[in-house]
Amino acid sequence: MPANKKILVVYYSKTGHTEGVANDIARRLGADIERITDLKNRKGLLGFLSAGRDAGKKARTAIGPVEKDPARYDITLIGTPKWAGNISPAIRAYLEKIAKRLGAVAFFATCAGTPLEPVLNDLETLSGKKAVAFLGLTMRELRDERTYQEKLEAFTSSVGK
Ligand SMILES: Cc1cc2nc3c(=O)[nH]c(=O)nc-3n(C[C@H](O)[C@H](O)[C@H](O)COP(=O)(O)O)c2cc1C
């Protein structure tokens, strides 16, 4: 879509929703993609509880190696699920690590259904940047193909300009 903009999509996803959105965005924009891994075990009930507790405390976590340098891209699109009202600890850790290397940014987030403004605020604060665009998706919007495609189109158009 964009003639020559270099775009990087970075995301963390535990159960695949944010990953699906990241893949769709990357496909539409011809962007490179990087998945952030959380080295803490988030599986099962204990993993779920630790996820909520860590996110609620705004704790970071140890993440796997980051391979792509955002400084080599015109814009980085960063995606996270909402956990306990906050961004995921893995994306918090990622932003703390690479904020200084970011050019322009846009963000996307998925959640069960609660407001995503606090997530956007956190992402802007941690990156030290105002987002060019924000795509927030609830579970209901993810399931409604028409709404999903419309929101995806609006987001990718403003990012690709
Ligand atoms: C530990 C945990 C806490 C969550 N907290 C919230 C929340 O505060 N508000 C909300 O709307 N959804 C919450 N959710 C739901 C996720 O945001 C939602 O399922 C999201 O799409 C998951 O993304 P993923 O599949 O990429 O991991 C929570 C999910 C988990 C696992």
Side-chain angles (χ1 to χ4, degrees):
M1 172 204 252
N4 43 23
K5 234 181 188 182
K6 271 200 91 183
I7 303 176
L8 175 64
V9 174
V10 178
Y11 71 95
Y12 169 76
S13 181
K14 176 170 137 62
T15 51
H17 298 128
T18 315
E19 180 167 61
V21 178
N23 285 333
D24 287 346
I25 292 171
R27 203 174 307 118
R28 275 180 179 242
L29 291 169
D32 289 346
I33 192 157
E34 168 134 56
R35 177 184 190 146
I36 302 302
T37 52
D38 187 336
L39 298 182
K40 204 160 172 177
N41 183 1
R42 304 290 185 189
K43 294 197 179 116
L45 179 61
L46 289 180
F48 176 83
L49 293 174
S50 85
R53 193 175 51 239
D54 289 353
K57 285 193 299 194
K58 299 198 172 195
R60 65 191 65 80
T61 188
I63 56 173
V66 173
E67 312 222 315
K68 299 198 164 55
D69 180 1
R72 294 176 168 269
Y73 293 83
D74 296 309
I75 184 164
T76 303
L77 320 182
I78 302 172
T80 180
K82 180 179 179 180
W83 280 2
N86 289 303
I87 67 172
S88 56
I91 288 300
R92 185 176 297 281
Y94 173 76
L95 283 170
E96 286 180 359
K97 194 177 172 121
I98 56 81
K100 290 197 181 74
R101 303 198 60 76
L102 287 168
V105 291
F107 301 116
F108 57 102
T110 68
C111 71
T114 57
L116 282 165
E117 284 76 17
V119 170
L120 173 61
N121 290 342
D122 248 20
L123 289 164
E124 288 190 328
T125 304
L126 281 163
S127 64
K129 306 260 179 185
K130 184 116 191 76
V132 169
F134 178 65
L135 171 62
L137 290 160
T138 63
M139 218 42 53
R140 178 188 273 195
E141 290 170 325
L142 280 170
R143 286 196 202 106
D144 176 350
E145 190 58 23
R146 190 162 157 197
T147 305
Y148 176 59
Q149 292 301 335
E150 278 173 7
K151 290 191 85 168
L152 200 59
E153 172 60 26
F155 179 73
T156 51
S157 311
S158 40
V159 164
K161 271 182 198 143

